[in-house]
Amino acid sequence: MTTLPTPLAHAVASVRRRVRTRRAIEAGTLFGIVGLAAAAVVVASVKTRALPVDTGITALLVCAALPFLGALMGALRRVPALHAAQLLDRAHALDSRVASALEFTSLPDAERSAFMDAAIADAAQRGAGLDPARAMPLRGPQDWPMGLALLTVVLVVAQLAVLGRAPAPPISELNAMLVHPDDLDAFESALRPMLENPETDEATREAAREQ
């Protein structure tokens, strides 16, 4: 078994890297769209008090991590060398010369014919003119308008004020009621006949004394 000629090996390796990069971009964009949609729901839930703030922050952190998770998954997907060779052949109209050379070099020397050696040499001569960028161009994701729209939705929802009744302040925050001394005297004067009346029951007397 022999090795693939250096120009071909470099071109194939470069295309494999570009395929991983493109997969990472596409997967990261897809996961990012899902994360933005989920973030909009989380923000709305926190705004309407349907979700606690602490839980909402945790959920938003998960949403923010989704694009990176998607990019990592796309970058780690295996890219066979034969697939990269086929992309080079298709982009340069080489009629499977690179793919054939790759397969021929994987055979033991005893099983490789003179025709196969000639095919490898022919592919190697064309290797210097191979352009990996032509075989696998890198461009922006097609779904970026949707991601931008969802990001706008999240920002708008975050700025909205929720209409509704304000929660009542705690009892400890209520202002103490100020009573004028004259009002206290009048109140005591009104209770005095009740206390002096012998027919008033004991429970009423106790309540009046507490006042």
Side-chain angles (χ1 to χ4, degrees):
M1 185 174 63
T2 187
T3 58
L4 192 67
T6 300
L8 296 180
H10 287 171
V12 169
S14 179
V15 171
R16 294 178 71 183
R17 288 192 297 270
R18 296 180 73 88
V19 170
R20 289 193 181 94
T21 302
R22 184 163 170 177
R23 287 178 177 176
I25 293 173
E26 293 176 351
T29 303
L30 178 60
F31 277 59
I33 290 174
V34 174
L36 287 171
V41 175
V42 171
V43 172
S45 300
V46 172
K47 282 281 188 178
T48 56
R49 301 183 181 88
L51 194 67
V53 175
D54 293 342
T55 305
I57 293 175
T58 302
L60 288 177
L61 291 176
V62 174
C63 293
L66 285 179
F68 301 99
L69 176 61
L72 181 62
M73 292 175 60
L76 293 180
R77 285 182 57 190
R78 180 175 175 272
V79 181
L82 182 59
H83 177 61
Q86 291 170 342
L87 290 174
L88 286 168
D89 285 328
R90 186 185 308 165
H92 297 83
L94 293 179
D95 299 325
S96 300
R97 284 183 172 86
V98 179
S100 297
L102 181 65
E103 291 184 340
F104 293 158
T105 53
S106 64
L107 297 175
D109 295 340
E111 298 181 10
R112 206 168 53 245
S113 65
F115 170 79
M116 295 179 181
D117 290 334
I120 295 172
D122 178 62
Q125 290 179 356
R126 301 172 182 269
L130 297 178
D131 184 9
R134 181 178 173 186
M136 177 51 61
L138 297 179
R139 52 177 178 266
Q142 297 180 349
D143 297 329
W144 71 265
M146 183 181 298
L148 182 60
L150 285 172
L151 178 60
T152 304
V153 170
V154 173
L155 295 177
V156 170
V157 172
Q159 297 299 321
L160 289 178
V162 178
L163 299 179
R165 182 180 299 175
I171 296 178
S172 60
E173 296 181 5
L174 295 177
N175 294 329
M177 182 180 296
L178 299 178
V179 181
H180 196 273
D182 294 341
D183 295 332
L184 289 175
D185 293 339
F187 189 64
E188 291 177 358
S189 298
L191 291 177
R192 189 174 298 112
M194 184 183 298
L195 294 174
E196 294 175 352
N197 188 353
E199 296 181 0
T200 304
D201 59 86
E202 190 62 28
T204 303
R205 292 175 182 274
E206 290 294 331
R209 292 192 186 98
E210 291 177 0
Q211 299 297 328

